[in-house]
Amino acid sequence: MLPILYQDAHLVAIDKPAGLLVHRTGLDAGETRFAVQLLREQIGQPVWPVHRLDKGTSGVLVFALGADAASATCSLFESSLGIVKRYQAVVRGWPAAEGVIDHPLKRLPDDARASPRALPAQAAVTRFRTLSRHAVPLPYGDFPQTRCALLELQPETGRRHQLRRHCKHMGHPIIGDATHGKGPLNRALAQWLGWRRLWLHAASLQLPHPVSGEPLRIEAPPGVEWARWQGA
């Protein structure tokens, strides 16, 4: 059963587990389980995805329960008006206490079969704040320990893989990111932690309700595996 965080006549929000695709995609053609399908079967009615979370990302994921609500909610996400997203991530290294990553990102094709031609870059902005710093007893390079940090990330734009790409750009890739991180380090940390996952979690989402316009805030506390990162 998918954990339901919020439900009314127009929207339903779940706490998506890490490793679950939102819907079928050519990027992962071998996958057979999808949040859309599972939620539809669980609540007994059709659902429309209105935003994305990567397969490896856990946390708040919202669906519409009708075509009109889907259209209105998608428009809200496209405009970013009234949308506030907050994530938690564990990254390699010790970033500054806080900062802004203002770095345009090239568009990515939505499907692995899409043309690989160059696509234009789009403005992309992410704010970050360091919540805690950690020294893991695993050698990294010439250092006897691996530095990691727990960050709060707040994307002000909604580019694809924005947080993963922005963290890599500032030199602090998200732990467990097979595309933008270091494979040997990811594997060593997964063995030490006892968890193999992308350490990125959508902790809260605020948006105007697509029908009433009232602010709606939905929260998903990080799972038990995040406890070792909480606190200094």
Side-chain angles (χ1 to χ4, degrees):
M1 297 284 284
L2 296 170
I4 293 179
L5 303 170
Y6 175 85
Q7 186 172 359
D8 64 19
H10 309 285
L11 298 176
V12 59
I14 66 168
D15 184 355
K16 186 186 86 66
L20 180 65
L21 279 171
V22 176
H23 50 65
R24 190 179 302 277
T25 170
L27 297 172
D28 200 339
E31 188 56 77
T32 59
R33 297 174 69 255
F34 313 97
V36 170
Q37 170 197 13
L38 295 175
L39 183 58
R40 181 183 65 228
E41 294 172 355
Q42 182 172 328
I43 67 174
Q45 64 184 107
V47 297
W48 283 256
V50 294
H51 67 121
R52 301 178 190 236
L53 285 183
D54 290 347
K55 179 179 179 180
T57 306
S58 55
V60 179
L61 180 65
V62 176
F63 297 84
L65 295 177
D68 291 342
S71 177
T73 311
C74 285
S75 295
L76 289 171
F77 278 99
E78 289 169 3
S79 69
S80 295
L81 292 175
I83 304 290
V84 180
K85 304 175 185 176
R86 287 189 171 86
Y87 292 74
Q88 288 193 8
V90 180
V91 302
R92 189 190 76 213
W94 288 356
E98 59 183 19
V100 178
I101 309 165
D102 188 347
H103 176 68
L105 297 172
K106 287 188 176 181
R107 291 181 56 207
L108 296 174
D110 287 342
D111 193 287
R113 297 164 293 183
S115 170
R117 70 183 187 281
L119 295 170
Q122 298 173 296
V125 177
T126 301
R127 297 185 179 275
F128 72 89
R129 181 168 63 96
T130 297
L131 301 178
S132 59
R133 294 186 174 94
H134 306 266
V136 176
L138 289 173
Y140 181 70
D142 296 330
F143 300 95
Q145 295 179 318
T146 299
R147 287 181 170 184
C148 297
L150 177 66
L151 303 186
E152 180 184 85
L153 301 172
Q154 184 177 333
E156 295 190 353
T157 49
R159 310 308 176 201
R160 191 157 180 224
H161 298 176
Q162 176 173 319
L163 299 180
R164 294 165 59 188
R165 295 163 76 189
H166 268 179
C167 285
K168 178 188 178 183
H169 173 74
M170 72 170 176
H172 299 288
I174 297 174
I175 299 299
D177 190 336
T179 303
H180 304 295
K182 299 291 185 181
L185 176 62
N186 285 338
R187 289 189 290 273
L189 280 168
Q191 184 174 7
W192 183 79
L193 292 165
W195 290 89
R196 184 178 299 276
R197 62 158 297 167
L198 173 69
W199 287 90
L200 180 62
H201 177 76
S204 71
L205 172 64
Q206 182 173 313
L207 71 160
H209 193 281
V211 175
S212 69
E214 292 296 315
L216 176 62
R217 181 181 175 88
I218 304 169
E219 297 184 344
V224 294
E225 71 272 27
W226 291 80
R228 69 176 65 244
W229 305 114
Q230 307 295 330

